[in-house]
Each structure stands twice: as C-alpha cells, then as structure tokens.
C-alpha cells in the first residue's frame, strides 16, 4: 500500500513536469540575460506554481506588484540608513510589520501584494547592507529574476494542459448544494445532526468564497459566470440561519407533545416533496401561494405561539425562495447565462461581496512579533559581525510572514526548519559535486531533473507540500551560491547556518509571543460576533444588506474548524452556537429596519428591548458566556403585545417575525404562553 502511494497520479506528474519546465525556462532566460542570480528565477518559478491555473494567474499580477513595491522600499531605506544599522534594522522591521498587518486583513489574492512587499525588503535589503551603493542594481536584478520566474510559471501553467479552477469550483458548489438540500430534508423530517451539518455547510461556503476570488483569472469559460457564482454563494450563505430557524421553530411548536395544525403539517409535507424534487411536488409559485395563505393574522390578543407560527411560515417561504434562486442560478451557470434571475429579491441581488471576518488585533500583534524577531537576529548580526548574518535576517523576515495567518504558526515553521536541515546533505552534493562537473545547460537540466521532478510530485500533494517545498527551497537556495562564486564548502556551511539561525529565530519568537491555541482563537471569534451584535442594537439604522450575515457566516466557518481542535473540557466553547448568534443578529437587523415604521408605544418598547439585548452582548464580550438575563423576557412579551396592536403592515409583520425569532434564540427553553391558532385546511 505504501509503495502504491509513492506512484504519482497523472495530475501530480503533470504538475511536477510543468513546474520543472517553467523553472528551467526561467533559469535559461536568466542565464541568457546575464542576471547575477539565475537560480533565484528558477526557485521563484517553483514558489509561485500551483495545481490550478486560475489561482496561479490570479496571484501573478499581485506578486509582481508586491515584488516591485518591496524592491522600491529596499532601495529607499538601505542607502539612507546604511550608516545607522540600528535605525536601518528598525526601519526594515517596521516595513515588514506594516506590510504583514495589511496582508492579514485581506483574504483575497490582493493580499500577496503586501505579503511579498514585506519579505521582499528582507530578501533584497539585508544582503545589500554590506554594499549599499549597489542597492539599485541589486534591487533591479532581484526584481527581474523574481518577475522572470513568475512570468514563466504563469505562462506554462496557463498554456500547457491548464488545470482550470472552474470545473473544480463547480464540483464543490454542486456538492454543497446537495448537502444543503439533504440538511433541509433532514431538518424537516426531524432526523438531522444539526450542529455538524451547520458547521460543515458554513466551512464549505467560506472555502467556496475564497476559491471564487480566483475565478475571474481562470482559463475556463466559468470565469464569465463569476457574478452568478458569487450570487449563488450568497444565497447559500443566507440559507444557513434560515434553515436553522425553521428547525428551531418546528421543535418549539412540537414541544411537550404538541402537534402542528393540520394545514401547516400538510404544507410542510408539500415543501418536503418540493425540496426532494419529487415528480408529485407542486410548482414553486403554487407552493409560495399556499404558504402565504397560511400566514396567521396577528393582533393585540395574539400570543407567542401565533408569532412563532408566523415566524415559521415566513422562514419556510424564505427557504423556498432561496432554494429556487440557487436552482435558477445553477441552471444559468450551466447554460452560460451570466445574468441574475429577474425574480430575485433586490436585496439578494445587491448583497455585499467578499465580506470576511477581520481581526485587527491579531494582525497588529503578528506585525509586532515580526519586528521583535528581526530586531533580535539583527542585533546578533551587528554585535558579532557575522558574515552570514544577512542570510539569517533574510530568513527571519520570510518566516515570520509565511505562516502568520495560522493561529499557531509554530508547527509550520518547525516543519520547515527540520526539512531545511535535512536538505543540507542533498544541497551539498549538488553544489560541491554535481554542478562543478557540468559545463553546459543541457547537462545541468539532466542533473537537476531527478531530484526536482520527484519533489514536484510531493509538492502537488497537500499532505506533503510543505515538507517537499522546504527540501526544494533548501536545495535551490544553496545552488544560488554558485551565482556569487561562493560554491565552496566553507561558504556552503556558513550560508546554511545562517538560514537555520534565521528560521530558528522566527520559530522561537513566534512560540513565545505569537502562538495561540484553537480555544483562544475560538473565544476571540465568538467575542467579535458578540461585539458586532451589541453595536447593531445601538445603531440608528440596519447594516448594509449581506454584510453582517456574510461576516458572521465566515466566523461560523472559522469557528467550526477551531472547535474541532479545542479541548472538550472547554465548557464555554462546547455550549457556543455561532449560528444562533447569526440568527440573533439577523433578527436585530430586521427589528432595526421595521421599528422606524412603528408608532407609539410599540417603537419605544422595541428600543428598550434592543438596549437590554445590546447590554447583554456587551457583557458577554467582556467575560465568559452567561444566560440571557431574566428581565429581558418580559421586555420581549411587552414588545410583542405593543407591536401586535399596531395596524397591519409589512413592517409590523416583519417586527413580529423578528421578535419571535429573538425569543427562541435568547430563551430557547421557554414555551409559548398562548394556545395554538387553528387554521383552515388549504387545498
């Protein structure tokens, strides 16, 4: 079995061959142009290569911009501060920190601009400290070498048997749609494991949203469907809280042995057949009309059961609309029609795009750790006058950036350190034995092919990519010593020692200052959601359509991955339900939109309730989770009574639905206090 796993698949072999061809092309052109470090171009081609051509193309432009910006920073800083090494160290460290901070706040391909601008200053600036007068020529050469590698990799992966992102994305999209329909059926039939289903759906949608950022640069025709793909993801995102609400309202109405009114039970069965695409199912318009006819009339005598029933039917109607929108959008994508369905809700058509959770605090702290690590290694370099101190500083700058997006970057940096050390014997064999015996480019290619083609296969495998890249970069970095005429044993050892010291410094500083656990990050995500909910209750208007739910859904996806790693003994986390927080936020947004149309005394009661709910979430964000204060419940009852007494209007009904949702989310164990409404059967 192990032997079989070593045999590459067709896709892995193709990726390895294309990466090797791109790197050799970059090396050949660099030799022909007379660039001072041709092996940098070769190594860059490997660094920017990826299995999917769309991702390679989307990152290429941003990598070019980042490299150029970083080179400009090095050219500006090094000559100016060359006579003040302490200030130069601080300036370079601050540059890396600021660029890292900005890049961590952007989870789209454009983040590469600042990520590369950060550590490119280290790659160019630190080696040029000993000869600041040549910094412009050095910076220009580095830009040319790196851009050459980027261009060669982009061209090869885009032209030679391109592995398009579109089919992969659509496959994932179809699988997520099937999961959403399965969860819908399970929820309606009361046989779902809702927590795991919610977390999986949230993770899938968040991953799809990140993948879709590369779609406009893809080589397939799906790139013209980018708008429809994003609209489809938005609709699926909104399905998560709606479906969780439907499941909860059904449980509430069936609590204590209660049964749904016959008419509601009948229409629920019809919805189930429609979701299952049964041939006996109603058409969509008939189903919508049946749900609309069942909406109970709310007045001053109505209780929470009526409000809960109105909430259920409203959410079922929204659920049907979302599923239909998803089906229509998927059909349009399949037919190559980039237009959005005309019947879609205008709010759904204009929802915000690319709204992600941003953690300014962790981004700032990561930047501070980068400054500290660079300052420490540079202090050692300056005080000892170590000839390879520039290599150590350069590697420190690179590795404080590489894994900064992770909660705990230490395992990744440690893995890279271990495999960099393991690459030393192979790198030494190539540098000291193989390369000196070759006197032509074809022989050089033949000599490099066995190692780099094998490593390329393992780069294509997610499980071994990091280890293979560490070996590949260790060998490729050592080969660059030939460019500077330092291909001797002493220079080889000194250079590799500098790399190891630099990576080790990044590891130690990160472990001491920046490493956090999954439980810590999970709490931080929860508290960020609670702070946003508290802010929503105090806002004069509602958030822009789509911004809160997309951001909260992203938190749900991020949180679910961390909850799986957190200890089961973390009681506050085991009780956490970010989807419930998402529902609370959406209901608050609905109340904020509706209360402007409410009269007196309904509007003041709603305002008082929002103030109490906001205070509860402000308290939550300052300490561990606690139950909703008991005094909020009578405020909810009073708000419903006064809102129900308002003249009937869409805004009044929207407020009733939101209040019923808030009551179930904040007080899930409290049963409705009014008898059920008896509805006439609907044909």
């Amino acid at each position: 079995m192990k032997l079989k796993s070593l045999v590459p698949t067709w896709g892995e072999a193709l990726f390895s061959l294309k990466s090797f061809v791109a790197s050799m092309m970059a090396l050949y052109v660099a030799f022909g142009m007379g660039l001072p470090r041709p092996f940098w171009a070769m190594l860059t081609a490997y660094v920017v290569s990826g299995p999917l051509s769309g991702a390679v193309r989307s990152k290429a432009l941003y990598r070019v911009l980042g490299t150029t910006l970083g080179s400009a920073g090095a050219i500006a800083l090094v000559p100016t501060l060359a006579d003040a090494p302490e200030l130069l160290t601080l300036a370079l460290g601050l540059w890396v920190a600021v660029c890292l901070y900005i890049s961590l706040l952007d989870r789209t391909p454009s983040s590469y601009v600042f990520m590369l601008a950060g550590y490119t200053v280290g790659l160019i600036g630190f080696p040029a400290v000993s000869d600041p007068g040549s910094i412009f020529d050095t910076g220009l050469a580095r830009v040319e070498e790196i851009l050459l590698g980027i261009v060669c990799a982009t061209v090869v992966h885009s032209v030679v048997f391109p592995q398009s992102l579109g089919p992969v994305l659509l496959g994932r999209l179809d699988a997520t749609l099937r999961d959403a329909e399965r969860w819908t059926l399970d929820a309606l039939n009361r046989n779902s494991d809702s927590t795991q289903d919610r977390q999986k759906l949230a993770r899938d949608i968040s991953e799809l949203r990140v993948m879709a950022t590369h779609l406009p640069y893809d080589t397939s025709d799906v790139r013209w469907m980018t708008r429809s793909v994003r609209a489809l993801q938005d609709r699926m995102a909104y399905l998560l809280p709606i479906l969780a609400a439907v499941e909860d309202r059904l449980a509430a109405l069936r609590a204590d042995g209660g049964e749904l009114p016959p008419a509601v039970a009948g229409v629920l069965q019809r919805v189930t057949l429609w979701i299952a695409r049964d041939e006996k199912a109603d058409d969509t318009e008939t189903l919508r009309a049946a749900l609309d006819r069942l909406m109970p009339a709310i007045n001053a005598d109505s209780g929470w059961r009526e409000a809960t029933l109105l909430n259920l039917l409203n959410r079922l109607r929204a659920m049907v609309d979302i599923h239909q929108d998803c089906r229509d959008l998927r059909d349009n994508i399949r037919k190559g029609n980039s237009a959005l369905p005309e019947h879609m809700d205008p709010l759904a058509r204009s929802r915000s795009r690319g709204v992600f959770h941003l953690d300014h605090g962790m981004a700032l702290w990561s930047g501070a750790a980068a400054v500290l690590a660079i300052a420490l290694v540079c202090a050692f370099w300056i005080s000892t006058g170590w000839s390879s101190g520039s290599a150590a500083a350069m590697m420190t700058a690179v590795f404080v950036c590489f894994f900064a997006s992770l909660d705990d970057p230490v395992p990744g940096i440690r893995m890279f350190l271990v495999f960099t050390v393991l690459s030393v014997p192979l790198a030494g064999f190539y540098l000291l034995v193989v390369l000196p015996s070759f006197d032509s480019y074809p022989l050089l290619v033949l000599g490099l092919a066995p190692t780099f083609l094998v490593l390329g296969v393992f780069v294509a495998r997610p499980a071994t990519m990091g280890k293979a890249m560490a070996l590949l970069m260790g060998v490729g970095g050592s080969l660059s010593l030939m460019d500077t005429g330092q291909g001797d044993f002493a220079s080889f050892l000194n250079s590799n020692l500098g790399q190891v010291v630099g990576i080790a410094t990044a590891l130690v500083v990160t472990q001491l200052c920046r490493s956090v656990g999954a439980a810590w990050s999970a709490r931080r995500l929860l508290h960020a959601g609670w702070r946003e909910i508290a802010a929503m209750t105090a806002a004069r208007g509602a958030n822009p359509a789509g911004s809160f739910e997309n951001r909260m859904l992203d938190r749900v996806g991020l949180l679910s991955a961390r909850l799986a790693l957190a200890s089961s003994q973390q009681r506050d986390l085991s009780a956490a339900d970010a989807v419930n927080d998402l529902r609370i936020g959406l209901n608050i947004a609905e109340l904020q939109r509706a209360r402007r149309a409410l009269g007196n005394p309904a509007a003041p009661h709603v305002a008082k309730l929002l103030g109490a709910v906001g205070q509860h979430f402000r308290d939550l964000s300052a300490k561990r989770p606690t139950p909703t204060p008991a005094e909020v419940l009578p405020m909810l009852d009073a708000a419903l009574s006064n809102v129900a007494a308002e003249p009937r209007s869409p805004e009044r009904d929207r407020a009733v639905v939101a209040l019923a949702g808030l009551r179930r989310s904040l007080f899930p164990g409290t049963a409705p206090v009014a008898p059920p409404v008896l509805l006439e059967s609907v044909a």
Side-chain angles (χ1 to χ4, degrees), residues 41 172 207 255 462 498 566 636:
R172 291 284 303 275
E207 291 171 3
L636 275 164

PDB file of all heavy atoms in Angstrom, residues 41 172 207 255 462 498 566 636:
ATOM      1  N   ALA A  41      15.569  32.977 -10.103  1.00  0.00           N
ATOM      2  CA  ALA A  41      14.459  32.890 -11.062  1.00  0.00           C
ATOM      3  C   ALA A  41      13.909  31.474 -11.091  1.00  0.00           C
ATOM      4  O   ALA A  41      12.692  31.267 -11.133  1.00  0.00           O
ATOM      5  CB  ALA A  41      14.938  33.312 -12.449  1.00  0.00           C
ATOM      6  N   ARG A 172     -17.367  21.458  -6.376  1.00  0.00           N
ATOM      7  CA  ARG A 172     -17.562  21.742  -4.950  1.00  0.00           C
ATOM      8  C   ARG A 172     -18.896  22.428  -4.710  1.00  0.00           C
ATOM      9  O   ARG A 172     -19.573  22.166  -3.705  1.00  0.00           O
ATOM     10  CB  ARG A 172     -16.426  22.646  -4.446  1.00  0.00           C
ATOM     11  CG  ARG A 172     -15.057  21.989  -4.386  1.00  0.00           C
ATOM     12  CD  ARG A 172     -14.939  21.058  -3.196  1.00  0.00           C
ATOM     13  NE  ARG A 172     -15.210  21.748  -1.952  1.00  0.00           N
ATOM     14  CZ  ARG A 172     -14.291  22.437  -1.272  1.00  0.00           C
ATOM     15  NH1 ARG A 172     -13.050  22.499  -1.723  1.00  0.00           N
ATOM     16  NH2 ARG A 172     -14.598  23.026  -0.138  1.00  0.00           N
ATOM     17  N   GLU A 207     -15.023  28.331   2.255  1.00  0.00           N
ATOM     18  CA  GLU A 207     -13.968  27.874   1.344  1.00  0.00           C
ATOM     19  C   GLU A 207     -14.320  28.204  -0.103  1.00  0.00           C
ATOM     20  O   GLU A 207     -13.449  28.598  -0.890  1.00  0.00           O
ATOM     21  CB  GLU A 207     -13.754  26.368   1.516  1.00  0.00           C
ATOM     22  CG  GLU A 207     -13.127  25.997   2.851  1.00  0.00           C
ATOM     23  CD  GLU A 207     -13.131  24.496   3.088  1.00  0.00           C
ATOM     24  OE1 GLU A 207     -13.573  23.748   2.181  1.00  0.00           O
ATOM     25  OE2 GLU A 207     -12.695  24.058   4.174  1.00  0.00           O
ATOM     26  N   ALA A 255     -43.090  20.996  20.799  1.00  0.00           N
ATOM     27  CA  ALA A 255     -42.637  20.734  22.165  1.00  0.00           C
ATOM     28  C   ALA A 255     -43.790  20.237  23.031  1.00  0.00           C
ATOM     29  O   ALA A 255     -44.966  20.565  22.811  1.00  0.00           O
ATOM     30  CB  ALA A 255     -42.040  22.002  22.762  1.00  0.00           C
ATOM     31  N   PRO A 462      -1.291  17.801  -1.060  1.00  0.00           N
ATOM     32  CA  PRO A 462      -1.474  18.686   0.104  1.00  0.00           C
ATOM     33  C   PRO A 462      -0.801  18.167   1.370  1.00  0.00           C
ATOM     34  O   PRO A 462      -0.261  18.954   2.159  1.00  0.00           O
ATOM     35  CB  PRO A 462      -3.003  18.737   0.259  1.00  0.00           C
ATOM     36  CG  PRO A 462      -3.530  18.444  -1.106  1.00  0.00           C
ATOM     37  CD  PRO A 462      -2.562  17.476  -1.722  1.00  0.00           C
ATOM     38  N   GLY A 498      23.316  30.259   8.449  1.00  0.00           N
ATOM     39  CA  GLY A 498      22.530  31.494   8.513  1.00  0.00           C
ATOM     40  C   GLY A 498      21.049  31.234   8.299  1.00  0.00           C
ATOM     41  O   GLY A 498      20.195  31.793   8.999  1.00  0.00           O
ATOM     42  N   ALA A 566     -10.314  22.361  19.735  1.00  0.00           N
ATOM     43  CA  ALA A 566     -10.331  22.767  21.139  1.00  0.00           C
ATOM     44  C   ALA A 566     -10.696  21.595  22.032  1.00  0.00           C
ATOM     45  O   ALA A 566     -11.386  20.662  21.645  1.00  0.00           O
ATOM     46  CB  ALA A 566     -11.331  23.913  21.331  1.00  0.00           C
ATOM     47  N   LEU A 636     -39.513  41.312  25.997  1.00  0.00           N
ATOM     48  CA  LEU A 636     -39.918  40.694  24.736  1.00  0.00           C
ATOM     49  C   LEU A 636     -41.436  40.565  24.652  1.00  0.00           C
ATOM     50  O   LEU A 636     -42.057  40.870  23.624  1.00  0.00           O
ATOM     51  CB  LEU A 636     -39.262  39.315  24.602  1.00  0.00           C
ATOM     52  CG  LEU A 636     -37.847  39.268  24.032  1.00  0.00           C
ATOM     53  CD1 LEU A 636     -37.190  37.930  24.327  1.00  0.00           C
ATOM     54  CD2 LEU A 636     -37.874  39.517  22.526  1.00  0.00           C
TER      55      LEU A 636
END
